[in-house]
Amino acid sequence: MGGDHHGEHHHKTVIPDYRIYKVEDAPELVRVQKELAKLGLKDPWLRNEVWRYNRKEFGTPSSKMSAMFSKGFKYGLILFGITTAIETAADFLNPKMPHHGHH
């Protein structure tokens, strides 16, 4: 009954230490920090966005785009072609009659 966890596998999420993230490691955020400084502003939470710009873990914008096209784009393009061919064949075999007035 309840509380019995035999056979279950639990994956523990490891949360990294916040001190490993430095704005200086993300050139995009350094730029944001400088623009804010020109306005006399500071974003104390900017460090929380550094992980998004970690190129080792998440790649570069161009590698992300390349991955998107290599994963599903070719299959989507093939399915698009098949769908278009089926629609064209269906329209050819069952042409729509034009309606020239109301009867």
Side-chain angles (χ1 to χ4, degrees), residues 16-23 25 47 50-51 54 57:
D17 186 7
Y18 71 93
R19 292 171 288 199
I20 67 170
Y21 298 110
K22 296 179 179 20
V23 174
D25 295 337
R47 180 184 62 209
V50 173
W51 67 272
N54 184 338
E57 193 168 337

Side-chain angles (χ1 to χ4, degrees), residues 25-87:
D25 295 337
E28 297 91 340
L29 296 180
V30 170
R31 212 171 306 121
V32 169
Q33 194 174 45
K34 287 179 181 178
E35 290 297 318
L36 287 172
K38 286 180 188 175
L39 300 171
L41 300 171
K42 183 179 179 183
D43 185 355
W45 298 100
L46 201 57
R47 180 184 62 209
N48 293 344
E49 298 298 316
V50 173
W51 67 272
R52 295 177 191 266
Y53 297 92
N54 184 338
R55 285 181 168 79
K56 289 178 187 168
E57 193 168 337
F58 298 106
T60 63
S62 62
S63 69
K64 290 178 194 176
M65 184 68 73
S66 168
M68 179 186 74
F69 281 111
S70 66
K71 286 183 182 176
F73 185 75
K74 57 187 165 193
Y75 299 112
L77 192 59
I78 291 168
L79 289 174
F80 171 75
I82 292 169
T83 302
T84 303
I86 291 170
E87 294 256 340

